[in-house]
Amino acid sequence: MSKIGFNRLKRGLTATLISVLAAACISSQSGTQKSEPSDDASDQNYRLGAQYYRNEKYNLARSRFERAIELDGRNADAHSLLALTLAKIGNNRLATESFARSVRLAPNNKDIRNNFAIYLCQQSRFDEALEQFDRAIGITENDSSWIEMTNAGVCVAKKPDLDRAEQYFRSALNLRPAFGEALLQMSALKHRTDDNLAARAFMQRFLATHPSTPAVLYLAVQIETQLDDERAATDYMNQLLTSFPESAEARLLLQQG
């Protein structure tokens, strides 16, 4: 790439500033799963509803979850997935009510609290979301709390409170140093705050153990461009254009370059 081309790319990337952190979807299970299959009619309806939910047949899912709850009003999993379904079809009032019931029925279910927190974050109810994330993190039986820590960091970064987001990401990495989502979020956060040397370090840690994606490579191009490392930026750019030529990131890069 010529110096003129590199400088033009740098100006384009700076203007667009696509951030993995800003665009990231909070990782979550698509629904909670009961630990043991049951012949119970409520459980059967719950499981059928979960299948409909995964297939995006939300009206059918809703009817099955409502039937499961009619048969067993204490089926917390059904309340939780009904809430997710109601949110998908745009009924936020009933979704909030169903989430509230689910956490009352199963206060020590980390997945239910995590789903509720994600929903609250999507509604920009950040303080309430962090309360649910923190409760999920604090559950004694939660042996994968780095997931909720990372989710909480993504959520609070949207507020935005980047210092608190970094605290959550670092807590996750203290527990699981190679956790890819936390590494990637730290890289994006450091890039967002113009600490691109740190962003590069977290990106390198991520790429050492995880496959690249168009969004990851685009962020890597951004980081190296801001560090004026033309060779590294060009290498990441070539990987993006060669491996993912049809991606939105590749098209955007070509437009900017």
Side-chain angles (χ1 to χ4, degrees):
M1 183 189 302
S2 69
K3 195 66 177 179
I4 294 175
F6 181 70
N7 288 336
R8 186 169 65 248
L9 174 64
K10 184 173 181 177
R11 288 194 299 271
L13 286 171
T14 304
T16 305
L17 200 62
I18 297 294
S19 171
V20 174
L21 181 72
C25 295
I26 303 175
S27 57
S28 175
Q29 296 180 352
S30 61
T32 55
Q33 296 292 325
K34 287 181 177 292
S35 58
E36 296 180 2
S38 169
D39 292 330
D40 178 79
S42 176
D43 188 46
Q44 289 177 351
N45 277 276
Y46 160 77
R47 291 180 181 280
L48 185 55
Q51 185 65 46
Y52 283 135
Y53 180 88
R54 285 191 291 271
N55 292 332
E56 300 182 0
K57 297 179 179 179
Y58 299 122
N59 287 327
L60 290 173
R62 177 180 181 176
S63 66
R64 288 297 176 174
F65 294 138
E66 289 176 339
R67 178 57 177 160
I69 292 166
E70 181 182 338
L71 292 165
D72 179 5
R74 299 189 62 78
N75 189 333
D77 294 299
H79 281 289
S80 180
L81 270 189
L82 174 60
L84 289 174
T85 303
L86 291 166
K88 287 289 187 182
I89 62 179
N91 195 327
N92 291 323
R93 181 183 64 82
L94 290 181
T96 301
E97 292 176 1
S98 292
F99 270 127
R101 292 190 193 98
S102 69
V103 295
R104 283 198 302 269
L105 290 167
N108 292 321
N109 187 313
K110 70 181 183 68
D111 295 323
I112 286 176
R113 286 200 180 275
N114 185 59
N115 285 336
F116 190 17
I118 290 168
Y119 166 77
L120 291 169
C121 187
Q122 291 168 343
Q123 300 298 309
S124 297
R125 296 164 62 178
F126 300 113
D127 292 339
E128 294 171 84
L130 291 178
E131 179 183 356
Q132 293 300 324
F133 280 129
D134 287 340
R135 289 189 174 219
I137 291 166
I139 293 171
T140 303
E141 297 80 7
N142 187 351
D143 57 359
S144 58
S145 58
W146 56 85
I147 296 174
E148 285 76 32
M149 291 172 182
T150 303
N151 287 346
V154 172
C155 179
V156 75
K158 294 179 179 180
K159 191 175 182 178
D161 184 342
L162 301 186
D163 289 338
R164 192 171 182 186
E166 181 170 345
Q167 291 173 6
Y168 277 115
F169 296 145
R170 289 192 180 278
S171 294
L173 291 171
N174 285 338
L175 292 177
R176 184 59 64 96
F179 184 45
E181 187 64 24
L183 288 171
L184 187 58
Q185 293 299 330
M186 276 297 294
S187 180
L189 186 149
K190 289 300 182 183
H191 174 62
R192 184 173 173 180
T193 57
D194 295 322
D195 186 356
N196 284 291
L197 282 173
R200 170 194 276 169
F202 283 108
M203 175 60 71
Q204 290 173 341
R205 285 174 60 185
F206 175 86
L207 291 173
T209 53
H210 298 82
S212 59
T213 67
V216 169
L217 291 172
Y218 189 86
L219 175 59
V221 173
Q222 289 181 297
I223 292 167
E224 297 301 336
T225 301
Q226 292 308 306
L227 289 171
D228 288 319
D229 191 330
E230 181 178 351
R231 181 176 179 178
T234 301
D235 181 56
Y236 285 126
M237 181 181 68
N238 288 337
Q239 289 183 54
L240 174 55
L241 296 177
T242 301
S243 300
F244 307 100
E246 302 302 321
S247 66
E249 290 82 359
R251 293 194 296 273
L252 184 58
L253 196 62
L254 289 172
Q255 292 171 6
Q256 293 165 336

